[in-house]
Amino acid sequence: MAGYEIFANCYDALTFNVPYDEIAKYYASILSKMTDGKQVLDMGCGTGNLTVRLEKLGFEMIGQEASVNMLTYAAEKSNKVTWICQKMENTDLPYPVDAVISTLDSINHLESREDISKCFQRVSKNLKRGGAFVFDVNTPFKHREILGENTFVYDVDGVYCVWQNTFCAEDCGVDIDLDLFFEDEDGRYSRGEEHFREIALSNGEICRLLEETGFEVVNIWEYLTFDDPKFDSEKLLVSAKRL
């Protein structure tokens, strides 16, 4: 997974339209149905916006993030969350937790199917028997039809961002290049670059990897709903139980 050290400096500004409160309540409702426990690991927590909201909803949160800069921003938001710097595919906790979540398509940011399988294995090792694993993913449809070869431009809160995508049909991956311009108090701009990659798996591949790593798939829903996926779903919620 890429470092995201420069991206961290503008992540919150560029995700201003993400409905964090709604997403946190959605995850909380699913977790409450799947486990009575409260200890939850948030894998790939980024700058911690959902982690801190789930803590306020009553969960004992561990925020895990590989990017030191992302984690620094996250830690400034709460001293009630336990923050750890680890890659998702190297997850190693001192004790098993009741549930593991991964939000905002962090699973897609793992670099290969092998890394996703390794991540699922580490979740299984660090999750109590019968514990819940809940995560959201971007779909192959979104990668192919929405992200594709498109370019997006954002101009918000002192940040100008040109977001360029390159689609790879072989693994349904999208290479993402960011040109970032940061405005200081004097109106001068500094420039930074960031590159990362997302891959998208079919529902069948996700289910197979989960079953191979000790999970039973419970549900796959259209994101932020409890509806069955459609052919043009852009994002899905997957819930699984450790056997």
Side-chain angles (χ1 to χ4, degrees), residues 30-31 34-35 97-101 123 127-128 130-134 215 239-242:
I30 295 169
L31 290 173
M34 294 186 68
T35 178
V97 292
D98 300 303
V100 175
I101 64 171
V123 173
L127 186 59
K128 293 178 182 177
F133 182 26
V134 184
F215 290 95
S239 63
K241 178 180 180 181
R242 179 179 179 259

Side-chain angles (χ1 to χ4, degrees), residues 16-237:
F16 67 94
N17 60 344
V18 174
Y20 287 114
D21 290 335
E22 179 185 0
I23 297 170
K25 290 175 182 176
Y26 180 61
Y27 268 89
S29 69
I30 295 169
L31 290 173
S32 296
K33 290 181 176 69
M34 294 186 68
T35 178
D36 294 329
K38 293 296 183 181
Q39 293 177 331
V40 179
L41 170 66
D42 184 3
M43 303 179 74
C45 68
T47 60
N49 291 313
L50 284 172
T51 323
V52 298
R53 283 168 169 82
L54 285 165
E55 186 278 325
K56 290 177 181 177
L57 291 174
F59 294 95
E60 299 171 19
M61 298 300 299
I62 301 170
Q64 175 199 43
E65 173 57 46
S67 163
V68 173
N69 207 9
M70 286 276 199
L71 201 63
T72 299
Y73 283 104
E76 291 173 351
K77 295 172 183 174
S78 175
N79 59 10
K80 296 181 180 179
V81 175
T82 299
W83 305 103
I84 58 173
C85 189
Q86 285 181 350
K87 290 185 176 181
M88 294 165 61
E89 62 270 36
N90 295 334
T91 301
D92 186 19
L93 301 179
Y95 53 84
V97 292
D98 300 303
V100 175
I101 64 171
S102 187
T103 67
L104 301 178
D105 54 89
S106 293
I107 295 292
N108 294 100
H109 285 256
L110 292 164
E111 294 180 358
S112 66
R113 285 161 172 77
E114 291 73 24
D115 281 345
I116 293 174
S117 178
K118 189 184 298 185
C119 172
F120 288 178
Q121 291 174 33
R122 296 313 303 168
V123 173
S124 183
K125 291 284 187 182
N126 290 274
L127 186 59
K128 293 178 182 177
R129 190 173 298 276
F133 182 26
V134 184
F135 59 94
D136 59 65
V137 286
N138 286 337
T139 64
F141 176 87
K142 180 175 181 178
H143 276 208
R144 186 174 57 250
E145 303 296 336
I146 306 302
L147 298 180
E149 298 283 336
N150 291 317
T151 298
F152 305 96
V153 176
Y154 303 91
D155 187 1
V156 293
D157 294 340
V159 180
Y160 186 82
C161 170
V162 179
W163 181 304
Q164 296 177 295
N165 297 325
T166 305
F167 180 70
C168 175
E170 183 177 348
D171 62 355
C172 209
V174 177
D175 287 287
I176 299 170
D177 291 291
L178 303 184
D179 280 320
L180 299 163
F181 300 87
F182 301 93
E183 185 178 13
D184 64 21
E185 294 178 354
D186 297 323
R188 294 174 297 186
Y189 282 87
S190 59
R191 183 175 180 271
E193 297 179 349
E194 193 78 87
H195 172 82
F196 51 89
R197 195 165 200 275
E198 293 191 27
I199 63 172
L201 307 185
S202 68
N203 291 359
E205 289 178 293
I206 292 171
C207 291
R208 178 177 59 81
L209 290 178
L210 285 169
E211 290 165 359
E212 288 176 352
T213 51
F215 290 95
E216 175 189 358
V217 178
V218 177
N219 284 298
I220 299 181
W221 286 312
E222 179 89 15
Y223 186 56
L224 294 182
T225 77
F226 299 101
D227 299 332
D228 291 335
K230 301 185 291 291
F231 80 94
D232 59 350
S233 295
E234 296 181 22
K235 196 175 184 70
L236 302 176
L237 188 287

